Amino acid sequence: MRLSLKGIPVYQSSLTLNTKDQVHAMQKVMGESDICILLGHGLIVAGSSVEQGTITAIKLDTLAKMNLQAAAIGKVPSIPDEDIREFQNRTGRGNSSAEGLWRYYCEWLTKG
């Protein structure tokens, strides 16, 4: 839910970023976000480590699939503002480290 509440910037060009000017323009759109969707092309994910960036990309993929499934159902009610506030007030719960989730995905790959 954190990804969707923060919003995900979209860079409006589908061209592959080949020049410094193109990269700087994308970075301007990306701002402080750790994700930027490249319209019709893919996405950029940043993280403090390869593991963190990969997990962010996996979470975005999961969010996209959930939204696609919801859209297929039809009109889906919005999450109530009260629930969003409660979610945002949940600070300090759980481990924000990517380490545990990274181990899970690595083990999942070896068993798949």
Side-chain angles (χ1 to χ4, degrees):
M1 186 184 295
R2 290 188 207 296
L3 289 175
S4 61
L5 290 176
K6 284 174 41 177
I8 301 170
V10 178
Y11 180 63
Q12 295 296 320
S13 174
S14 60
L15 297 175
T16 301
L17 305 177
N18 285 319
T19 68
K20 287 182 184 179
D21 288 341
Q22 290 171 325
V23 171
H24 290 182
M26 182 278 304
Q27 287 175 319
K28 186 175 179 181
V29 171
M30 188 171 181
E32 296 294 315
S33 180
D34 51 0
I35 300 171
C36 185
I37 295 174
L38 307 176
L39 185 68
H41 187 73
L43 62 110
I44 302 278
V45 177
S48 59
S49 65
V50 170
E51 294 86 355
Q52 186 64 51
T54 302
I55 288 169
T56 300
I58 291 169
K59 288 180 178 182
L60 179 61
D61 181 65
T62 301
L63 179 63
K65 287 176 182 173
M66 289 170 39
N67 276 282
L68 182 62
Q69 290 171 343
I73 293 170
K75 185 166 172 52
V76 177
S78 297
I79 297 172
D81 290 341
E82 182 179 328
D83 290 355
I84 291 173
R85 282 191 299 277
E86 172 65 25
F87 176 80
Q88 291 173 322
N89 288 331
R90 293 180 179 183
T91 57
R93 295 184 189 170
N95 184 358
S96 61
S97 167
E99 185 179 327
L101 197 49
W102 182 256
R103 280 196 314 263
Y104 164 79
Y105 284 122
C106 288
E107 190 170 316
W108 177 77
L109 282 172
T110 61
K111 292 182 179 183

